[in-house]
Amino acid sequence: MRHLMHARTRITVGALSGALALSALAAPLADAAPAATDVKNIVVNKGKPVVIGVSGSVTVPVTMSVTGGASHGASATLYHGRWPDATDVWVDPAKTCGAHAADYTCSMQFTFTARKTVKKNAQAGAWGVAAYAVGNANAQRFLPGVFTVVRAARLTADATPEPVNKGKSLTVKGRLTRANWETGTYLGNTNQTVRLQFRKKGATAYTTVKTVKAGTDGALKATVAATADGYWRWSFAGTVTTGPATSSADYVDVR
């Protein structure tokens, strides 16, 4: 329980303290000891990275299973850094889960606001979850690095010349940028692997034609032979600190 009382946790201890008092007054079962309260199967943002740009807010769902029969309450905190001294960033749910008479799934929502919840670029990457359930035996789970918070990325694409004669060279340029949480702007993301993709007119899927590295200020450039009418775009898979991005497609008429 030492972590529950830690002054820096800012978990909803106040909300759970009343439940703790109730649990202390609850009479034990006469015929058998109840199963120990547990919290498990914690899923953040449906298993996807939390992508944050330079403005606005993102709602992040979190679900977890509370087992062991009757529970007097459950809660969680999302954090960046080392538990329990992760004073860097804390995010608590707007509403915790109250008492339940049987096993249940606790569903919560967390709000990340650009340049408020995350203020430093170094806060991108692995985040952890501290989860709690109060019942016949209080449960705690500390799961470091179970999800990621990443900086939003952007991509542009421009193919020239338009139109182009069949068999001639076509140059596709673009730029890869990502959110800078400290300045509130999108800046060039250099030395990243980006794929040039093509979808022939009438087709439904894109194929990768070339793979290049983003240069100075995130600049992208590739030269290909024009073979058919179709759509050209750039695609970036993302990293552990930067979200994925796909540019709008640029249609090229081949004559």
Side-chain angles (χ1 to χ4, degrees):
M1 293 301 294
R2 179 174 64 86
H3 294 311
L4 278 172
M5 301 306 295
H6 198 287
R8 293 179 180 174
T9 60
R10 301 198 299 103
I11 309 299
T12 54
V13 176
L16 297 182
S17 60
L20 283 168
L22 290 173
S23 65
L25 295 174
L29 294 176
D31 53 347
T37 302
D38 198 5
V39 55
K40 53 190 177 182
N41 300 329
I42 301 170
V43 179
V44 180
N45 204 38
K46 300 179 180 180
K48 300 177 182 179
V50 178
V51 182
I52 303 176
V54 298
S55 63
S57 297
V58 177
T59 299
V60 178
V62 175
T63 59
M64 59 188 188
S65 300
V66 181
T67 61
S71 168
H72 301 295
S75 184
T77 281
L78 309 182
Y79 67 91
H80 180 264
R82 175 182 289 183
W83 186 270
D85 299 315
T87 56
D88 195 4
V89 187
W90 299 91
V91 186
D92 294 329
K95 185 178 181 180
T96 62
C97 295
H100 284 71
D103 295 357
Y104 71 103
T105 297
C106 176
S107 299
M108 296 166 285
Q109 289 189 334
F110 297 73
T111 299
F112 284 73
T113 301
R115 306 198 69 199
K116 290 185 179 180
T117 308
V118 287
K119 300 178 181 179
K120 303 175 182 177
N121 295 328
Q123 290 163 349
W127 280 54
V129 180
Y132 306 85
V134 178
N136 53 64
N138 300 320
Q140 304 178 58
R141 288 286 182 269
F142 305 100
L143 305 176
V146 294
F147 74 104
T148 57
V149 177
V150 296
R151 299 158 62 180
R154 289 179 174 178
L155 267 174
T156 61
D158 182 28
T160 56
E162 298 181 63
V164 61
N165 292 327
K166 188 172 183 179
K168 295 297 183 179
S169 293
L170 182 70
T171 300
V172 185
K173 296 182 180 180
R175 186 175 178 229
L176 173 65
T177 59
R178 64 174 171 173
N180 187 316
W181 294 337
E182 297 170 13
T183 63
T185 59
Y186 281 83
L187 299 179
N189 194 9
T190 64
N191 201 36
Q192 301 298 317
T193 299
V194 184
R195 294 170 296 167
L196 176 64
Q197 299 181 325
F198 176 70
R199 177 169 67 86
K200 187 177 180 179
K201 181 180 179 180
T204 58
Y206 280 88
T207 58
T208 297
V209 177
K210 280 190 175 183
T211 300
V212 303
K213 290 278 189 179
T216 303
D217 203 29
L220 301 166
K221 181 179 179 181
T223 300
V224 296
T227 58
D229 296 349
Y231 303 84
W232 294 90
R233 73 179 188 183
W234 293 101
S235 179
F236 173 59
T239 67
V240 294
T241 59
T242 306
T246 300
S247 71
S248 297
D250 190 7
Y251 179 78
V252 176
D253 178 19
V254 177
R255 296 179 178 180

